[in-house]
Amino acid sequence: MTTRLRINLQSYFPGFSRIFRDITKPVLPLLLFLESPTKLRSLSLDSFLAGIQSIRWSEKRKIQIYENLNYESPEYETSRQSECIVYTMHLIEQINLLDHQIAKMNSDIESLYNNHSGSRILSSIPAMGTMIGATLLAELSDESRGFRDYRAFQAYAGTSPVSRQSGKSQKLVVMRRACNKHLRHALYWLAFNSLTRGEWARQFYDAQRAKGKANSVTLRSLSNKWAKIIFTIWKKNSTYSADLFKKTSIHKILLT
């Protein structure tokens, strides 16, 4: 929808789309206030600043935007441009409605996640956010999956690689394609978040990078370690403890 908004703006307000590469908040309130180049030209600098005072930009930036928009705005409007302006206003209303619905959905997901008994286990991991935790919770609490062990969970999540070899060609280790991509995505970002919130995760990442492994490959490998840990504590109905983790033999195994 923002792409359609940008294309539409180029029909009558090309300077706006050039100045603002990302048509997102807080750009939308500015566009809603200005409406058209004609209204912009009718505004003094003081009126412009008063109209957008709720937008959290510095006064220096607001003045610069005012000057740049006036410099690049067309001096006339055609009937076609008037239609585009009306369409822009409708698009902004739809975007604001979607933002409201997304915010409500996120709030509902957070509430459901926090009220689920399994969130106690997943939230014990420092790098676990609400959306990542909710994705994992949905999969782990589904008894129909029937994962026989952590390896089955890793394969389903797509974190464990697969080996391929054809004839006399060299054996290759590649990313698993047949998997639950939502779960793989969640574990990938959990691995990324854990780099700044878990000592062993950072050590593993640095060690793999020192061996010449690519960033994406290393993060997938790290997400595979997390998949094993998560499945284990879920089955044991216990919370994650970094101190206890360091004392066990699994700590050394995971760092290799």
Side-chain angles (χ1 to χ4, degrees):
M1 194 171 291
T2 54
T3 301
R4 276 188 283 167
L5 180 57
R6 175 178 291 280
I7 294 172
N8 191 56
L9 280 170
Q10 291 173 354
S11 303
Y12 72 96
F13 216 159
F16 196 98
S17 60
R18 281 195 293 270
I19 292 172
F20 297 102
R21 304 254 177 206
D22 296 320
I23 310 297
T24 55
K25 296 180 179 180
V27 178
L28 289 179
L30 171 62
L31 184 56
L32 194 61
F33 167 68
L34 290 179
E35 294 183 359
S36 68
T38 301
K39 181 177 178 181
L40 171 64
R41 289 193 300 273
S42 69
L43 294 172
S44 66
L45 177 58
D46 290 338
S47 299
F48 177 80
L49 294 175
I52 63 170
Q53 60 181 349
S54 61
I55 300 177
R56 295 180 179 179
W57 289 332
S58 66
E59 184 172 327
K60 180 180 180 181
R61 185 184 180 190
K62 291 178 180 179
I63 293 173
Q64 186 179 22
I65 290 171
Y66 175 79
E67 293 174 347
N68 290 341
L69 285 175
N70 270 293
Y71 178 76
E72 297 202 30
S73 298
E75 296 181 358
Y76 61 90
E77 286 183 20
T78 64
S79 58
R80 172 61 180 161
Q81 288 173 330
S82 298
E83 294 174 2
C84 290
I85 293 170
V86 173
Y87 183 49
T88 292
M89 296 301 108
H90 286 307
L91 283 176
I92 292 176
E93 289 179 6
Q94 292 178 41
I95 292 172
N96 286 334
L97 176 60
L98 284 173
D99 285 342
H100 175 74
Q101 291 174 336
I102 290 171
K104 185 180 184 306
M105 180 185 67
N106 289 338
S107 177
D108 290 343
I109 291 174
E110 183 175 4
S111 177
L112 289 170
Y113 173 72
N114 291 333
N115 291 329
H116 194 285
S117 59
S119 66
R120 172 187 63 87
I121 299 172
L122 298 176
S123 296
S124 65
I125 298 174
M128 187 71 68
T130 300
M131 293 304 161
I132 295 176
T135 303
L136 291 168
L137 184 61
E139 299 298 337
L140 290 167
S141 58
D142 188 351
E143 296 180 359
S144 65
R145 303 295 183 198
F147 302 115
R148 62 182 182 276
D149 55 25
Y150 73 86
R151 293 182 181 85
F153 179 66
Q154 289 172 323
Y156 176 75
T159 59
S160 59
V162 292
S163 300
R164 291 180 181 174
Q165 188 171 5
S166 178
K168 296 181 180 179
S169 62
Q170 185 178 3
K171 184 178 179 181
L172 297 175
V173 178
V174 297
M175 182 175 70
R176 187 182 296 271
R177 300 291 180 180
C179 64
N180 184 318
K181 293 178 174 57
H182 295 293
L183 186 55
R184 182 176 69 187
H185 182 76
L187 286 166
Y188 183 91
W189 283 106
L190 171 65
F192 177 80
N193 292 342
S194 68
L195 294 180
T196 57
R197 302 175 191 178
E199 182 181 351
W200 73 265
R202 185 77 231 187
Q203 291 174 355
F204 174 82
Y205 177 86
D206 291 341
Q208 296 300 307
R209 292 288 281 156
K211 294 177 182 179
K213 299 289 181 65
N215 174 67
S216 59
V217 173
T218 304
L219 284 176
R220 283 199 301 271
S221 182
L222 179 57
S223 69
N224 195 42
K225 308 297 185 185
W226 275 117
K228 179 178 181 179
I229 293 171
I230 290 169
F231 183 84
T232 301
I233 62 176
W234 180 267
K235 283 298 182 181
K236 291 183 177 180
N237 194 28
S238 61
T239 57
Y240 173 79
S241 172
D243 293 335
L244 180 62
F245 176 70
K246 288 181 181 180
K247 295 177 182 179
T248 60
S249 58
I250 194 174
H251 176 246
K252 295 181 179 179
I253 296 173
L254 288 176
L255 286 178
T256 59

